[in-house]
Amino acid sequence: MVRRNTWQREAVREALGTSEGFVSAQALHAHLRDTGIGLATVYRALADLAADGSADSLQQEGESLYRACTPGTHHHHLICRNCGTTVEIEADEVETWAQHVAATHGFTEAQHVVDVFGLCPACTLEARAAADAAAAG
């Protein structure tokens, strides 16, 4: 089913494109509150953008989060568990491994999603400073 490109969907696409890292539908809706776009419309637009490859989506703590991406590109992410900073990474070894494992088991047209969660450099420094302060305490 091809969706019409409505002004609401374009507003969601633009808001997503200006967001840093992954954001929830609720956060995007709050950003768009003055436009009159409803939360259900934001959810539908995000689902459509993810389906057509214009947005990445992931599940974190039971919530769907979205981020604008370039359609048609396959990539992976490093995602900070604390602040949500996201870095697109290349993972040639993962690509090779995934194709090998699929072929070994007789699978074809294999697809995969790889997101690596950790702490970004800034959050690592903050966590170390907090731990040092607590130890000195």
Side-chain angles (χ1 to χ4, degrees):
M1 174 182 204
V2 175
R3 298 259 182 195
R4 291 182 316 153
N5 201 21
T6 64
W7 71 268
Q8 294 96 333
R9 184 174 176 188
E10 273 308 303
V12 170
R13 181 193 311 270
E14 287 176 23
L16 188 63
T18 61
S19 298
E20 290 286 322
F22 284 87
V23 296
S24 68
Q26 292 88 352
L28 215 51
H29 180 252
H31 179 74
L32 293 166
R33 75 174 147 248
D34 294 336
T35 65
I37 297 173
L39 183 56
T41 300
V42 172
Y43 273 107
R44 275 192 304 275
L46 288 171
D48 289 347
L49 292 171
D52 77 11
S54 298
D56 289 325
S57 68
L58 61 89
Q59 293 287 316
Q60 189 172 24
E61 298 177 12
E63 181 176 30
S64 293
L65 302 176
Y66 300 88
R67 186 182 96 120
C69 70
T70 305
T73 63
H74 179 74
H75 51 273
H76 306 286
H77 305 106
L78 288 172
I79 304 165
C80 181
R81 289 188 311 261
N82 187 51
C83 70
T85 294
T86 305
V87 177
E88 288 187 9
I89 58 172
E90 290 189 28
D92 293 337
E93 298 87 2
V94 171
E95 302 301 326
T96 302
W97 172 82
Q99 294 304 315
H100 173 74
V101 168
T104 299
H105 294 279
F107 281 67
T108 62
E109 300 181 36
Q111 298 178 344
H112 63 275
V113 176
V114 175
D115 294 318
V116 179
F117 293 87
L119 292 178
C120 71
C123 290
T124 298
L125 286 174
E126 187 178 301
R128 285 184 184 152
D132 290 346

